[in-house]
Amino acid sequence: MAARVRALPDIAGLSAGEFGTTATPGPGGRVEGVAVRPEGVEVGVVVRYGRPIPDIAADVRAAVLAARGGVPDSGDGVRVWVADIDLAEAGTRR
């Protein structure tokens, strides 16, 4: 899931949040920025400046749902929260 979200063009990175709670144990350590919980999946992202955030969040949800594998359907689904906006390329976009 994390790799699919990172691969999206509007995603600058993943975020575990201020207290590091958006994470899931995985092979080789914690996967920061994606928390798989019984009630659903939570994803923390840093977005690139440019597109509307609701459109980016919809892309993140679609990427997670495509990769979800064993995530149960009974949860609330995919919750996306934006930790920050990367303005590095803001001046170059028109």
Side-chain angles (χ1 to χ4, degrees):
M1 285 185 227
R4 284 187 189 236
V5 172
R6 276 192 213 100
L8 294 172
D10 295 304
I11 300 300
L14 295 173
S15 174
E18 184 176 356
F19 300 106
T21 57
T22 305
T24 299
R30 289 169 31 112
V31 178
E32 304 228 343
V34 178
V36 178
R37 299 188 170 117
E39 62 274 7
V41 178
E42 181 179 351
V43 183
V45 294
V46 176
V47 300
R48 290 191 171 91
Y49 177 81
R51 285 184 64 216
I53 290 175
D55 294 347
I56 297 170
D59 291 347
V60 171
R61 281 187 198 91
V64 169
L65 291 173
R68 64 197 264 166
V71 176
D73 290 334
S74 59
D76 293 329
V78 180
R79 180 173 162 248
V80 179
W81 63 272
V82 176
D84 203 355
I85 299 173
D86 182 354
L87 299 173
E89 297 179 26
T92 62
R93 295 189 183 196
R94 302 231 176 236

Coordinates of all heavy atoms in Angstrom, one line a residue:
M1 N 0.8 -1.2 0.0 CA 0.0 0.0 0.0 C 0.9 1.3 0.0 O 0.6 2.2 -0.8 CB -0.9 0.0 1.2 CG -2.1 -0.9 1.1 SD -3.2 -0.7 2.6 CE -3.4 -2.4 3.0
A2 N 1.9 1.3 0.9 CA 2.7 2.5 1.0 C 3.4 2.7 -0.4 O 3.5 3.9 -0.8 CB 3.7 2.3 2.1
A3 N 3.9 1.7 -1.0 CA 4.6 1.9 -2.3 C 3.7 2.5 -3.4 O 4.0 3.3 -4.1 CB 5.2 0.6 -2.8
R4 N 2.4 2.0 -3.4 CA 1.5 2.5 -4.4 C 1.1 4.0 -4.1 O 1.0 4.7 -5.1 CB 0.2 1.7 -4.4 CG 0.4 0.3 -5.1 CD -0.9 -0.4 -5.2 NE -0.8 -1.7 -5.7 CZ -1.4 -2.2 -6.8 NH1 -2.2 -1.4 -7.4 NH2 -1.2 -3.4 -7.1
V5 N 1.0 4.3 -2.9 CA 0.7 5.7 -2.5 C 1.9 6.6 -2.9 O 1.7 7.7 -3.5 CB 0.3 5.9 -1.1 CG1 0.2 7.3 -0.7 CG2 -1.0 5.1 -0.8
R6 N 3.1 6.2 -2.5 CA 4.3 6.9 -2.8 C 4.5 7.2 -4.3 O 5.1 8.2 -4.7 CB 5.6 6.3 -2.2 CG 5.8 6.5 -0.8 CD 7.2 6.0 -0.5 NE 7.3 5.6 0.9 CZ 7.2 4.3 1.3 NH1 7.1 3.4 0.5 NH2 7.2 4.1 2.6
A7 N 4.0 6.2 -5.1 CA 4.2 6.3 -6.6 C 3.3 7.3 -7.2 O 3.5 7.7 -8.4 CB 4.0 4.9 -7.2
L8 N 2.3 7.8 -6.5 CA 1.3 8.8 -7.1 C 2.1 10.1 -7.4 O 2.9 10.5 -6.5 CB 0.2 9.0 -6.2 CG -0.8 7.8 -5.9 CD1 -1.8 8.1 -4.8 CD2 -1.5 7.4 -7.2
P9 N 1.8 10.7 -8.5 CA 2.6 11.9 -8.8 C 2.4 13.1 -7.9 O 3.2 14.0 -7.8 CB 2.1 12.3 -10.3 CG 0.8 11.5 -10.4 CD 0.9 10.3 -9.5
D10 N 1.2 13.2 -7.2 CA 0.9 14.3 -6.3 C 1.4 14.1 -4.9 O 1.1 14.9 -4.0 CB -0.5 14.7 -6.4 CG -1.0 15.1 -7.7 OD1 -0.4 16.1 -8.2 OD2 -1.9 14.6 -8.3
I11 N 2.0 12.9 -4.6 CA 2.5 12.6 -3.3 C 4.0 12.8 -3.1 O 4.8 12.2 -3.9 CB 2.1 11.1 -2.9 CG1 0.6 10.9 -3.0 CG2 2.7 10.8 -1.5 CD1 -0.2 11.8 -2.1
A12 N 4.3 13.7 -2.2 CA 5.8 14.0 -2.0 C 6.3 13.0 -1.0 O 7.5 12.8 -0.9 CB 5.9 15.4 -1.5
G13 N 5.5 12.4 -0.1 CA 5.9 11.5 0.9 C 4.8 11.0 1.8 O 3.6 11.5 1.7
L14 N 5.1 10.1 2.6 CA 4.1 9.7 3.7 C 4.5 10.3 5.0 O 5.6 10.6 5.2 CB 4.2 8.1 3.7 CG 3.7 7.4 2.5 CD1 3.9 5.9 2.6 CD2 2.2 7.7 2.2
S15 N 3.5 10.3 5.9 CA 3.8 10.9 7.2 C 3.1 10.0 8.3 O 2.0 9.6 8.2 CB 3.2 12.3 7.3 OG 3.3 12.8 8.6
A16 N 3.9 9.7 9.3 CA 3.4 9.0 10.5 C 2.7 9.9 11.5 O 2.1 9.4 12.4 CB 4.5 8.2 11.1
G17 N 2.8 11.2 11.2 CA 2.1 12.2 12.1 C 3.0 12.6 13.2 O 4.2 12.1 13.4
E18 N 2.6 13.6 13.9 CA 3.4 14.3 15.0 C 3.9 13.3 16.0 O 5.0 13.4 16.5 CB 2.6 15.4 15.6 CG 3.3 16.2 16.6 CD 2.5 17.4 17.2 OE1 1.4 17.6 16.7 OE2 3.1 18.0 18.1
F19 N 3.0 12.3 16.4 CA 3.4 11.4 17.4 C 3.8 10.0 16.9 O 3.9 9.1 17.6 CB 2.2 11.2 18.4 CG 1.9 12.5 19.1 CD1 0.7 13.2 18.7 CD2 2.7 13.1 20.0 CE1 0.4 14.5 19.3 CE2 2.4 14.3 20.6 CZ 1.3 15.0 20.3
G20 N 3.8 9.9 15.5 CA 4.3 8.6 14.9 C 3.3 7.5 15.0 O 3.6 6.3 14.9
T21 N 2.0 7.8 15.1 CA 1.0 6.8 15.3 C 0.4 6.2 14.1 O -0.3 5.2 14.1 CB -0.2 7.3 16.2 OG1 -0.7 8.5 15.6 CG2 0.3 7.6 17.6
T22 N 0.6 6.9 12.9 CA 0.1 6.4 11.7 C 1.2 5.5 11.1 O 2.1 5.9 10.3 CB -0.3 7.5 10.7 OG1 -1.2 8.3 11.3 CG2 -0.9 6.9 9.4
A23 N 1.3 4.2 11.5 CA 2.3 3.3 11.1 C 1.8 1.9 11.3 O 0.9 1.7 12.1 CB 3.6 3.5 11.9
T24 N 2.4 0.9 10.6 CA 2.0 -0.5 10.7 C 3.3 -1.3 10.8 O 4.2 -1.0 10.0 CB 1.2 -0.9 9.5 OG1 0.0 -0.2 9.5 CG2 0.9 -2.4 9.6
P25 N 3.4 -2.3 11.7 CA 4.6 -3.1 11.7 C 4.6 -3.9 10.4 O 3.6 -4.4 9.9 CB 4.3 -4.1 12.9 CG 3.2 -3.4 13.7 CD 2.4 -2.6 12.8
G26 N 5.8 -4.1 9.9 CA 6.0 -4.8 8.7 C 7.3 -5.5 8.7 O 8.1 -5.3 9.5
P27 N 7.6 -6.3 7.6 CA 8.9 -7.0 7.5 C 10.0 -6.0 7.5 O 9.9 -5.0 6.7 CB 8.8 -7.8 6.2 CG 7.3 -7.8 5.9 CD 6.7 -6.7 6.5
G28 N 10.9 -6.1 8.3 CA 12.1 -5.2 8.3 C 11.8 -3.9 9.1 O 12.6 -3.0 9.1
G29 N 10.7 -3.8 9.8 CA 10.4 -2.6 10.6 C 9.0 -2.0 10.3 O 8.2 -2.5 9.6
R30 N 8.9 -0.8 10.9 CA 7.6 -0.1 10.7 C 7.4 0.5 9.4 O 8.3 1.1 8.8 CB 7.5 1.1 11.8 CG 7.4 0.7 13.2 CD 7.5 1.8 14.2 NE 7.1 3.1 13.7 CZ 6.1 3.8 14.3 NH1 5.4 3.3 15.2 NH2 5.8 5.0 13.8
V31 N 6.2 0.5 8.9 CA 5.8 1.1 7.6 C 5.1 2.4 8.1 O 4.0 2.4 8.5 CB 4.8 0.3 6.8 CG1 4.4 1.0 5.5 CG2 5.5 -1.0 6.4
E32 N 5.9 3.5 8.0 CA 5.3 4.8 8.4 C 4.4 5.4 7.4 O 4.7 5.4 6.2 CB 6.5 5.8 8.7 CG 7.4 5.1 9.7 CD 7.8 6.1 10.9 OE1 7.6 7.3 10.7 OE2 8.3 5.5 11.9
G33 N 3.3 6.0 7.8 CA 2.4 6.7 7.0 C 1.2 5.9 6.6 O 0.2 6.4 6.0
V34 N 1.2 4.6 6.9 CA 0.0 3.7 6.6 C -0.2 2.9 7.9 O 0.6 2.2 8.4 CB 0.3 2.8 5.4 CG1 -0.9 1.9 5.2 CG2 0.6 3.6 4.2
A35 N -1.5 3.0 8.4 CA -1.9 2.3 9.6 C -3.0 1.4 9.2 O -4.1 1.9 8.8 CB -2.3 3.2 10.7
V36 N -2.8 0.1 9.2 CA -3.9 -0.9 9.0 C -4.5 -1.3 10.3 O -3.8 -1.8 11.2 CB -3.4 -2.1 8.2 CG1 -4.5 -3.1 8.0 CG2 -2.7 -1.7 6.9
R37 N -5.8 -0.9 10.5 CA -6.5 -1.1 11.7 C -7.8 -1.9 11.5 O -8.2 -1.9 10.3 CB -6.8 0.2 12.4 CG -5.5 1.0 12.7 CD -5.8 2.3 13.5 NE -4.6 2.8 13.9 CZ -4.1 4.0 13.6 NH1 -4.9 4.8 12.8 NH2 -3.0 4.5 14.0
P38 N -8.3 -2.5 12.5 CA -9.6 -3.2 12.3 C -10.7 -2.4 11.7 O -11.5 -2.9 10.9 CB -10.0 -3.7 13.7 CG -8.7 -3.7 14.5 CD -7.9 -2.6 13.9
E39 N -10.7 -1.1 12.0 CA -11.8 -0.3 11.5 C -11.5 0.3 10.1 O -12.3 1.0 9.5 CB -12.1 0.9 12.4 CG -10.9 1.8 12.7 CD -10.0 1.4 13.8 OE1 -10.1 0.3 14.3 OE2 -9.1 2.2 14.1
G40 N -10.3 0.0 9.5 CA -10.0 0.5 8.2 C -8.5 0.9 8.1 O -7.7 0.6 9.0
V41 N -8.2 1.6 7.0 CA -6.8 2.0 6.8 C -6.7 3.5 6.9 O -7.5 4.2 6.4 CB -6.3 1.5 5.4 CG1 -4.9 2.0 5.1 CG2 -6.5 0.0 5.2
E42 N -5.7 4.0 7.6 CA -5.4 5.4 7.7 C -4.1 5.7 7.0 O -3.1 5.0 7.2 CB -5.3 5.8 9.2 CG -5.0 7.2 9.4 CD -4.9 7.6 10.9 OE1 -5.2 6.8 11.7 OE2 -4.5 8.7 11.1
V43 N -4.1 6.7 6.2 CA -2.9 7.1 5.4 C -2.6 8.6 5.6 O -3.5 9.4 5.4 CB -3.1 6.8 3.9 CG1 -1.8 7.1 3.1 CG2 -3.6 5.4 3.6
G44 N -1.4 8.8 6.0 CA -0.9 10.2 6.2 C 0.0 10.6 5.1 O 1.0 9.9 4.8
V45 N -0.3 11.7 4.4 CA 0.5 12.1 3.2 C 1.0 13.5 3.3 O 0.4 14.4 3.9 CB -0.3 11.9 1.9 CG1 -0.6 10.4 1.7 CG2 -1.6 12.7 1.9
V46 N 2.1 13.8 2.6 CA 2.6 15.1 2.2 C 2.3 15.2 0.7 O 2.8 14.4 -0.1 CB 4.1 15.3 2.5 CG1 4.5 16.7 2.1 CG2 4.3 15.0 4.0
V47 N 1.5 16.2 0.4 CA 1.1 16.4 -1.0 C 1.9 17.5 -1.7 O 2.4 18.4 -1.0 CB -0.4 16.7 -1.2 CG1 -1.3 15.6 -0.6 CG2 -0.8 18.0 -0.5
R48 N 2.0 17.4 -3.0 CA 2.7 18.4 -3.8 C 1.7 19.5 -4.1 O 0.5 19.2 -4.4 CB 3.3 17.8 -5.1 CG 4.4 16.9 -4.9 CD 5.1 16.6 -6.2 NE 6.4 15.9 -5.9 CZ 6.5 14.6 -5.7 NH1 5.5 13.8 -5.9 NH2 7.7 14.0 -5.5
Y49 N 2.1 20.7 -4.1 CA 1.2 21.8 -4.4 C 0.7 21.7 -5.8 O 1.4 21.3 -6.7 CB 2.0 23.1 -4.2 CG 1.2 24.3 -4.6 CD1 0.3 24.9 -3.7 CD2 1.3 24.9 -5.8 CE1 -0.5 26.0 -4.0 CE2 0.5 26.0 -6.1 CZ -0.4 26.6 -5.2 OH -1.1 27.7 -5.6
G50 N -0.6 22.0 -6.0 CA -1.1 22.1 -7.4 C -2.5 21.6 -7.5 O -3.4 22.4 -7.8
R51 N -2.8 20.4 -7.3 CA -4.1 19.8 -7.5 C -5.0 20.0 -6.2 O -4.4 20.1 -5.1 CB -4.1 18.3 -7.8 CG -3.7 18.1 -9.3 CD -3.7 16.6 -9.6 NE -5.0 16.1 -9.5 CZ -5.3 14.8 -9.1 NH1 -4.4 14.0 -8.7 NH2 -6.5 14.4 -9.1
P52 N -6.3 20.0 -6.4 CA -7.1 20.1 -5.2 C -6.9 18.9 -4.3 O -6.8 17.7 -4.8 CB -8.6 20.1 -5.8 CG -8.4 20.6 -7.2 CD -7.1 20.1 -7.6
I53 N -6.9 19.1 -3.0 CA -6.6 18.0 -2.0 C -7.7 16.9 -2.1 O -7.3 15.8 -2.1 CB -6.5 18.6 -0.6 CG1 -5.1 19.4 -0.6 CG2 -6.5 17.5 0.4 CD1 -4.9 20.1 0.7
P54 N -9.0 17.3 -2.3 CA -10.0 16.1 -2.4 C -9.7 15.2 -3.6 O -9.9 14.0 -3.5 CB -11.3 16.9 -2.6 CG -11.1 18.2 -1.9 CD -9.7 18.5 -2.2
D55 N -9.2 15.8 -4.7 CA -8.8 14.9 -5.8 C -7.6 14.0 -5.5 O -7.6 12.8 -5.9 CB -8.5 15.8 -7.0 CG -9.7 16.5 -7.5 OD1 -10.9 16.2 -7.1 OD2 -9.5 17.5 -8.4
I56 N -6.6 14.6 -4.8 CA -5.5 13.8 -4.4 C -5.9 12.7 -3.5 O -5.5 11.5 -3.6 CB -4.4 14.7 -3.8 CG1 -3.9 15.7 -4.9 CG2 -3.2 13.9 -3.3 CD1 -3.0 16.8 -4.3
A57 N -6.7 13.0 -2.5 CA -7.2 12.0 -1.5 C -7.9 10.9 -2.2 O -7.8 9.7 -1.8 CB -8.1 12.7 -0.5
A58 N -8.7 11.2 -3.2 CA -9.4 10.2 -4.0 C -8.4 9.2 -4.7 O -8.7 8.0 -4.7 CB -10.4 10.8 -5.0
D59 N -7.4 9.8 -5.2 CA -6.3 9.0 -5.8 C -5.6 8.1 -4.8 O -5.3 6.9 -5.1 CB -5.3 9.8 -6.5 CG -5.8 10.6 -7.7 OD1 -6.9 10.2 -8.2 OD2 -5.1 11.5 -8.2
V60 N -5.4 8.6 -3.6 CA -4.8 7.8 -2.5 C -5.7 6.7 -2.1 O -5.3 5.5 -2.0 CB -4.4 8.7 -1.3 CG1 -4.0 7.8 -0.1 CG2 -3.4 9.7 -1.7
R61 N -7.0 7.0 -2.0 CA -8.0 5.9 -1.6 C -8.0 4.8 -2.7 O -8.0 3.6 -2.3 CB -9.4 6.5 -1.4 CG -9.6 7.2 -0.1 CD -11.0 7.6 0.0 NE -11.1 8.6 1.1 CZ -11.0 9.9 0.8 NH1 -10.9 10.4 -0.4 NH2 -11.1 10.8 1.9
A62 N -8.0 5.2 -3.9 CA -8.0 4.2 -5.0 C -6.7 3.4 -5.0 O -6.8 2.1 -5.2 CB -8.2 4.9 -6.4
A63 N -5.6 4.0 -4.7 CA -4.3 3.2 -4.7 C -4.3 2.2 -3.5 O -3.9 1.1 -3.7 CB -3.1 4.2 -4.6
V64 N -4.8 2.6 -2.4 CA -4.9 1.7 -1.2 C -5.9 0.6 -1.5 O -5.6 -0.6 -1.2 CB -5.3 2.5 0.0 CG1 -5.6 1.6 1.2 CG2 -4.2 3.5 0.4
L65 N -7.0 0.9 -2.0 CA -8.0 -0.1 -2.3 C -7.5 -1.1 -3.3 O -7.8 -2.3 -3.2 CB -9.3 0.5 -2.8 CG -10.1 1.3 -1.7 CD1 -11.3 2.0 -2.3 CD2 -10.5 0.3 -0.5
A66 N -6.7 -0.7 -4.3 CA -6.1 -1.6 -5.3 C -5.1 -2.5 -4.7 O -4.9 -3.6 -5.1 CB -5.5 -0.8 -6.4
A67 N -4.4 -2.1 -3.6 CA -3.4 -2.8 -3.0 C -3.8 -3.5 -1.7 O -3.0 -4.2 -1.1 CB -2.2 -1.9 -2.7
R68 N -5.0 -3.4 -1.3 CA -5.4 -3.7 0.1 C -5.2 -5.2 0.5 O -5.1 -5.5 1.7 CB -6.8 -3.3 0.4 CG -7.9 -3.9 -0.5 CD -9.1 -3.2 -0.5 NE -10.0 -3.8 0.5 CZ -11.1 -3.1 0.9 NH1 -11.4 -2.0 0.5 NH2 -11.9 -3.7 1.8
G69 N -5.3 -6.1 -0.4 CA -5.0 -7.5 -0.1 C -5.9 -8.0 1.0 O -7.1 -8.1 0.8
G70 N -5.4 -8.1 2.3 CA -6.2 -8.7 3.3 C -6.9 -7.7 4.2 O -7.4 -8.1 5.3
V71 N -7.0 -6.5 3.8 CA -7.7 -5.5 4.6 C -9.2 -5.8 4.6 O -9.8 -5.9 3.5 CB -7.5 -4.0 4.1 CG1 -8.3 -3.1 4.9 CG2 -6.0 -3.7 4.2
P72 N -9.8 -6.0 5.8 CA -11.2 -6.4 5.8 C -12.2 -5.3 5.2 O -11.9 -4.1 5.3 CB -11.5 -6.6 7.3 CG -10.5 -5.8 8.0 CD -9.3 -5.8 7.1
D73 N -13.2 -5.8 4.6 CA -14.3 -4.9 4.0 C -15.2 -4.3 5.1 O -15.9 -3.4 4.8 CB -15.2 -5.7 3.0 CG -14.4 -6.0 1.8 OD1 -13.4 -5.3 1.4 OD2 -14.8 -7.0 1.1
S74 N -15.2 -4.9 6.3 CA -16.1 -4.4 7.3 C -15.7 -3.1 8.0 O -16.5 -2.5 8.7 CB -16.2 -5.5 8.4 OG -14.9 -5.7 9.0
G75 N -14.5 -2.6 7.7 CA -14.1 -1.3 8.3 C -14.8 -0.1 7.6 O -15.5 -0.2 6.7
D76 N -14.4 1.0 8.1 CA -14.9 2.3 7.6 C -14.3 2.6 6.2 O -14.6 3.7 5.6 CB -14.7 3.4 8.5 CG -15.5 3.2 9.8 OD1 -16.6 2.7 9.7 OD2 -15.0 3.7 10.9
G77 N -13.3 1.9 5.8 CA -12.6 2.2 4.5 C -11.3 2.8 4.7 O -10.5 2.4 5.6
V78 N -11.0 3.8 3.9 CA -9.7 4.4 3.8 C -9.8 5.8 4.3 O -10.6 6.6 3.6 CB -9.1 4.3 2.4 CG1 -7.7 5.0 2.4 CG2 -9.0 2.9 1.9
R79 N -9.1 6.2 5.3 CA -9.1 7.6 5.8 C -7.8 8.2 5.4 O -6.7 7.7 5.7 CB -9.3 7.6 7.3 CG -9.3 9.0 7.8 CD -9.7 9.0 9.3 NE -9.3 10.3 9.9 CZ -8.3 10.4 10.8 NH1 -7.7 9.4 11.3 NH2 -8.0 11.6 11.2
V80 N -7.8 9.3 4.7 CA -6.6 10.0 4.2 C -6.5 11.4 4.9 O -7.5 12.1 5.0 CB -6.6 10.3 2.7 CG1 -5.4 11.0 2.2 CG2 -6.8 9.0 1.9
W81 N -5.3 11.7 5.5 CA -5.1 13.0 6.1 C -3.8 13.6 5.6 O -2.9 12.9 5.2 CB -5.1 12.9 7.6 CG -4.1 12.1 8.3 CD1 -4.1 10.7 8.5 CD2 -2.8 12.5 8.7 NE1 -2.9 10.3 9.1 CE2 -2.1 11.4 9.2 CE3 -2.1 13.8 8.7 CZ2 -0.8 11.5 9.7 CZ3 -0.9 13.8 9.2 CH2 -0.2 12.7 9.7
V82 N -3.9 14.9 5.4 CA -2.8 15.6 4.8 C -1.9 16.2 5.9 O -2.4 17.1 6.6 CB -3.2 16.7 3.8 CG1 -2.0 17.5 3.3 CG2 -4.0 16.0 2.6
A83 N -0.7 15.8 6.0 CA 0.2 16.3 7.1 C 0.9 17.6 6.7 O 1.1 18.5 7.5 CB 1.3 15.3 7.4
D84 N 1.1 17.8 5.4 CA 1.8 19.0 4.9 C 1.6 19.1 3.4 O 1.2 18.2 2.7 CB 3.3 18.9 5.2 CG 4.0 20.3 5.3 OD1 3.3 21.3 5.0 OD2 5.1 20.3 5.7
I85 N 2.0 20.3 2.9 CA 2.0 20.6 1.4 C 3.4 21.0 1.0 O 3.9 21.9 1.6 CB 0.9 21.7 1.1 CG1 -0.5 21.2 1.5 CG2 1.0 22.0 -0.4 CD1 -1.5 22.3 1.3
D86 N 3.9 20.3 0.1 CA 5.3 20.6 -0.4 C 5.1 21.7 -1.5 O 4.6 21.5 -2.5 CB 5.8 19.3 -1.1 CG 7.3 19.5 -1.6 OD1 7.8 20.6 -1.5 OD2 7.8 18.5 -2.0
L87 N 5.7 22.8 -1.1 CA 5.6 24.0 -2.0 C 6.9 24.1 -2.9 O 7.0 25.2 -3.6 CB 5.4 25.3 -1.2 CG 4.2 25.3 -0.4 CD1 4.1 26.5 0.5 CD2 2.9 25.3 -1.2
A88 N 7.8 23.2 -2.9 CA 9.0 23.3 -3.6 C 8.9 23.6 -5.0 O 9.7 24.4 -5.6 CB 9.8 22.0 -3.4
E89 N 7.9 23.1 -5.7 CA 7.7 23.4 -7.1 C 6.6 24.4 -7.4 O 6.2 24.6 -8.6 CB 7.4 22.1 -7.9 CG 8.6 21.1 -7.8 CD 8.2 19.8 -8.5 OE1 7.4 19.8 -9.4 OE2 8.8 18.8 -8.1
A90 N 6.0 25.0 -6.4 CA 4.9 25.9 -6.6 C 5.2 27.0 -7.5 O 4.4 27.4 -8.3 CB 4.4 26.4 -5.2
G91 N 6.4 27.6 -7.4 CA 6.8 28.7 -8.3 C 6.9 28.3 -9.7 O 6.9 29.2 -10.6
T92 N 7.1 27.1 -10.0 CA 7.4 26.6 -11.4 C 6.1 26.2 -12.1 O 6.1 26.0 -13.3 CB 8.4 25.5 -11.5 OG1 7.9 24.4 -10.8 CG2 9.7 25.9 -10.8
R93 N 5.0 26.0 -11.4 CA 3.8 25.6 -11.9 C 2.9 26.8 -12.4 O 2.9 27.8 -11.8 CB 3.0 24.7 -11.0 CG 3.7 23.5 -10.6 CD 2.8 22.6 -9.8 NE 3.5 21.4 -9.5 CZ 3.0 20.3 -9.0 NH1 1.7 20.2 -8.9 NH2 3.7 19.3 -8.7
R94 N 2.2 26.6 -13.5 CA 1.3 27.6 -14.0 C 0.0 27.1 -14.2 O -0.3 26.0 -14.6 CB 1.9 28.2 -15.3 CG 3.3 28.7 -15.1 CD 3.3 30.1 -15.6 NE 4.7 30.6 -15.3 CZ 4.8 31.7 -14.7 NH1 3.8 32.5 -14.3 NH2 6.0 32.2 -14.4

